[in-house]
């Protein structure tokens, strides 16, 4: 019986190895044309636990992914191991360049990083110095995230990064401080919503400014087989607009609903006795919102965006039609996150 069990185990392992050797690691695990499929994908790669994975393990995951792409999967590797390696790879390495992204800029760090900053912005909103400090911290964090998740096919200079950072920070501060002073006589709840207004306004500036090269020179577009066809400014506008909407949607539920919740909670006598716990409580609640909203917001639009050839700039459209005729109806590009 033991021998038969061992033979079965050997046969099972051999089957798994054969399956893993034929495994297409770049094939989407879930259908990316549907919101639910994208949501499962982003729940997978924005998992905050991947931010705790060691550099050595990330490098090993990249080696395994590269080996699988080359068709030489190490013996004994299971499908589950390949899925996990791809999860780590997608969470830590840029989809355009394959380079490892900095930890703070990764989407998997959005929950731990964003919850601390969001919680503090919502807690310390009453004084101008506190508003200035936390909006500056938030815009510094956002600038790094935006740069990290840009479309890397469009390079940006240090000067342009600096201008984008200063412009977005100035916009956030002007909005926050201006509304803070304007709402002094308004109901307390209105004043609690000022940080969200500042964040939304800054996102409308920060992301386009950080990715200005794509708006000026166009974003690289390809056919469905990733053959480069040219650069399109219209595609850049579409992709960047979707990213702005996603980022605002990511922040909205927590920064709109959490002030209402805290306004109600602070009315209870027991909450007045533990004022020192209000900030930690807001940080934890903000984390709860972001845990769900980061993957939801990233899933609103496909990361590999598409656009009809008929909607492109006339010169690019003519170039594609001249070279390929009517074979290519859509172009594709990475909109970034």
């Amino acid at each position: 019986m033991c021998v038969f069990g061992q033979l079965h185990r050997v046969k099972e392992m051999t089957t798994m190895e054969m399956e893993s050797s034929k495994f297409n690691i770049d094939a989407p695990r879930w259908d990316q044309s549907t919101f639910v499929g994208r949501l499962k994908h982003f729940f997978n790669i924005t998992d905050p636990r991947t931010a705790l994975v060691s550099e050595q393990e990330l490098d090993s995951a990249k080696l395994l992914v590269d080996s699988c792409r080359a068709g030489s999967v190490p013996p004994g590797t299971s499908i589950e191991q390949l899925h996990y390696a791809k999860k780590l790879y997608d969470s830590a390495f840029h989809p355009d360049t394959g380079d490892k992204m900095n930890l703070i800029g990764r989407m998997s760090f959005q929950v731990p990083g964003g919850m601390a900053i969001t919680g503090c912005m919502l807690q310390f909103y009453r004084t101008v110095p506190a508003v200035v400090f936390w909006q500056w911290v938030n815009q510094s964090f956002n600038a790094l995230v935006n740069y990290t998740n840009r479309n890397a096919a469009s390079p940006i200079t240090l000067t342009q990064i600096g201008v984008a950072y200063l412009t977005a920070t100035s916009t956030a501060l002007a909005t926050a401080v201006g509304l803070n002073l304007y709402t002094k006589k308004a109901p307390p709840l209105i004043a609690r919503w000022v940080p969200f207004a500042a964040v939304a306004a800054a996102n409308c500036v920060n992301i386009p400014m950080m990715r200005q090269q794509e708006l000026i020179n166009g974003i690289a577009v390809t056919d469905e087989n990733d053959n480069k066809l040219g650069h399109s400014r219209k595609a850049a506008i579409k992709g960047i607009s979707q990213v702005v909407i996603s980022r605002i949607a990511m922040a909205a539920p927590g920064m709109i609903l959490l002030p209402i919740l805290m306004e109600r909670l602070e009315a209870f006598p027991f909450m007045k006795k533990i004022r020192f716990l209000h900030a930690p409580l807001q940080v934890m609640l903000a984390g709860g919102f972001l845990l769900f909203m980061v993957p939801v917001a990233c899933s609103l639009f496909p990361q590999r965006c598409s656009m009809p050839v008929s909607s492109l700039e006339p010169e690019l459209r003519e170039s594609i039609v001249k070279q390929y005729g009517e074979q290519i109806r859509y172009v594709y590009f990475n909109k970034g996150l």
Side-chain angles (χ1 to χ4, degrees):
M1 191 69 180
C2 184
V3 173
F4 282 116
Q6 289 178 354
L7 286 172
H8 178 72
R9 177 64 178 161
V10 169
K11 183 179 179 182
E12 188 180 64
M13 290 177 65
T14 304
T15 303
M16 290 176 66
E17 286 178 22
M18 287 176 64
E19 288 177 353
S20 63
S21 66
K22 300 175 183 176
F23 185 72
N24 181 2
I25 202 159
D26 290 313
R29 192 173 176 184
W30 297 281
D31 183 4
Q32 295 300 288
S33 65
T34 67
F35 172 76
V36 173
R38 294 193 296 274
L39 184 61
K40 290 178 180 179
H41 169 72
F42 281 109
F43 259 117
N44 192 44
I45 69 169
T46 63
D47 184 347
R49 294 173 297 180
T50 62
L52 303 175
V53 173
S54 69
E55 295 293 304
Q56 184 179 358
E57 191 171 352
L58 291 176
D59 291 336
S60 297
K62 186 177 190 300
L63 284 174
L64 183 54
V65 169
D66 290 341
S67 296
C68 189
R69 284 172 174 166
S72 57
V73 179
T77 305
S78 67
I79 298 294
E80 288 73 19
Q81 288 173 316
L82 290 173
H83 278 311
Y84 184 66
K86 189 62 164 58
K87 172 180 179 173
L88 295 183
Y89 179 88
D90 286 343
S91 73
F93 294 89
H94 198 282
D96 289 337
T97 64
D99 295 334
K100 188 184 294 179
M101 298 184 286
N102 68 80
L103 174 62
I104 297 174
R106 298 174 196 166
M107 278 297 161
S108 58
F109 194 77
Q110 276 289 297
V111 173
M115 66 188 281
I117 297 171
T118 301
C120 289
M121 280 195 297
L122 293 176
Q123 177 64 25
F124 305 111
Y125 67 93
R126 292 181 176 86
T127 66
V128 172
V131 169
V132 169
F133 176 75
W134 285 109
Q135 285 295 333
W136 168 73
V137 170
N138 185 55
Q139 288 314 309
S140 299
F141 177 67
N142 283 345
L144 186 56
V145 172
N146 294 337
Y147 176 75
T148 303
N149 293 281
R150 73 199 185 285
N151 182 306
S154 302
I156 184 170
T157 66
L158 288 175
T159 301
Q160 290 169 327
I161 292 172
V163 170
Y165 171 66
L166 290 175
T167 306
T169 303
S170 300
T171 302
L173 293 179
T175 305
V177 173
L179 289 177
N180 186 269
L181 296 174
Y182 183 75
T183 57
K184 286 291 184 184
K185 296 181 181 179
L189 184 58
I190 301 299
R192 286 178 180 269
W193 282 331
V194 168
F196 173 66
V199 167
N203 271 326
C204 293
V205 175
N206 196 335
I207 297 169
M209 287 294 292
M210 191 63 73
R211 298 177 60 177
Q212 58 188 282
Q213 282 296 98
E214 296 169 42
L215 296 171
I216 297 169
N217 301 319
I219 195 172
V221 296
T222 68
D223 62 14
E224 60 182 351
N225 297 316
D226 292 328
N227 298 309
K228 189 174 178 181
L229 301 172
H231 289 78
S232 170
R233 291 183 296 277
K234 288 188 175 182
I237 292 170
K238 178 179 180 179
I240 292 171
S241 299
Q242 290 181 350
V243 172
V244 170
I245 293 169
S246 295
R247 292 295 184 80
I248 294 174
M250 191 183 293
M255 299 191 81
I256 292 175
L257 299 178
L258 191 50
I260 298 173
L261 178 61
M262 289 302 296
E263 187 79 7
R264 299 284 178 86
L265 287 175
E266 288 175 6
F268 291 103
F270 79 92
M271 285 293 287
K272 295 176 181 177
K273 296 178 183 178
I274 55 169
R275 292 186 184 277
F276 64 96
L277 291 178
H278 287 192
L281 176 61
Q282 293 219 64
V283 167
M284 295 303 295
L285 290 173
F289 278 105
L290 285 174
L291 192 63
F292 290 96
M293 284 313 301
V294 169
V296 168
C298 289
S299 305
L300 292 178
F301 308 100
Q303 186 171 0
R304 192 186 188 218
C305 206
S306 65
M307 180 177 256
V309 171
S310 58
S311 299
L312 298 173
E313 295 86 340
E315 59 273 18
L316 179 58
R317 182 172 65 244
E318 289 170 9
S319 171
I320 294 172
V321 172
K322 183 178 180 180
Q323 189 171 355
Y324 299 97
E326 298 297 324
Q327 295 178 26
I328 298 178
R329 296 181 178 275
Y330 288 88
V331 296
Y332 301 87
F333 55 95
N334 173 24
K335 72 172 178 59
L337 291 174

